[in-house]
Amino acid sequence: MRVVLAEDLFLLRDGLVRLLEAYDFEIAAAVETGPELARALAELEPDVAVVDVRLPPTHTDEGLQCALEARRKKPGLPVLVLSQHVEQLYARELLADGSGGVGYLLKDRVFDADQFVDAVRRVAAGGTAMDPQVIQQLLSRRAADDQPLARLTPRETEVLELMAQGRTNAAIAERLVVTERAIAKHTANIFAKLGLEVSDDDNRRVLAVLAYLDHGR
């Protein structure tokens, strides 16, 4: 699996390269600036991009803007964002096309190698890997002015957050210490209240929920 990595801090970039190589990823490019990232994404066509939000020369949103532009040119290009902060506007824009292969992790909440590598693989496979804090902020902002989300019960909101992280019904049931049948019922209620078609495909249902959250922002 070929990876383009963008991180301006040398020690962190080098550490990520060594970590990914240890798990049999091929590093197609490891860059530190926005222009380098744009070229790498256009020329190398990686299986997944792991991108810091803030890169030189602007140190604002250079990395994420490059990733968004690359996804506009190649819809569905898998992108895993690493950030110190939740950039709500750009997180929503990243999710807006609903084509999958997206992730948003907060650097200081990645606690072990397996967690990070699992997120990279999940995104590369077309799924999602969202930090719970990112999901909570997206949900809270949308719920404030959106009636369908306001109709969800606290338990349904909790299930929705776990779904958006990319968890299966079995994983959600284990996390909440309930049966899979109970989670299936909550899931059906969520989709009914949000006006979304129920699907047994975990990736598609997560993408549908995220696309709904982004719609009309």
Side-chain angles (χ1 to χ4, degrees), residues 57-115:
T58 66
H59 289 285
T60 54
D61 57 5
E62 193 88 5
L64 194 44
Q65 287 292 353
C66 288
L68 290 169
E69 180 60 25
R71 278 177 68 90
R72 282 190 282 268
K73 294 178 178 177
K74 184 182 178 181
L77 172 69
V79 173
L80 174 61
V81 173
L82 292 175
S83 179
Q84 295 283 8
H85 313 284
V86 180
E87 304 282 355
Q88 288 197 26
L89 175 62
Y90 297 117
R92 288 174 178 273
E93 188 173 353
L94 184 66
L95 297 165
D97 60 16
S99 60
V102 293
Y104 200 118
L105 301 181
L106 299 180
K107 291 180 179 179
D108 61 356
R109 287 171 50 82
V110 177
F111 301 119
D112 59 58
D114 289 339
Q115 175 193 6

Side-chain angles (χ1 to χ4, degrees), residues 133-211:
Q133 286 193 5
V134 177
I135 295 301
Q136 287 171 7
Q137 291 199 32
L138 293 177
L139 284 171
S140 62
R141 177 173 175 174
R142 185 66 193 273
D145 57 5
D146 191 283
Q147 191 61 33
L149 275 178
R151 291 201 296 266
L152 297 183
T153 67
R155 176 62 93 180
E156 288 166 354
T157 299
E158 189 174 13
V159 171
L160 178 58
E161 291 175 1
L162 292 170
M163 285 168 54
Q165 293 173 36
R167 297 176 187 267
T168 63
N169 278 3
I172 296 172
E174 182 178 358
R175 175 72 176 269
L176 299 181
V177 197
V178 297
T179 65
E180 285 190 54
R181 185 174 181 178
I183 297 302
K185 183 177 180 180
H186 287 310
T187 300
N189 289 341
I190 290 168
F191 279 100
K193 291 179 180 179
L194 299 185
L196 297 169
E197 182 179 353
V198 179
S199 171
D200 291 330
D201 187 300
D202 191 62
N203 287 338
R204 285 190 297 153
R205 74 176 185 178
V206 171
L207 295 173
V209 170
L210 293 175

Side-chain angles (χ1 to χ4, degrees), residues 122-136:
R122 193 187 310 164
V123 169
T128 59
M130 307 295 292
D131 186 281
Q133 286 193 5
V134 177
I135 295 301
Q136 287 171 7

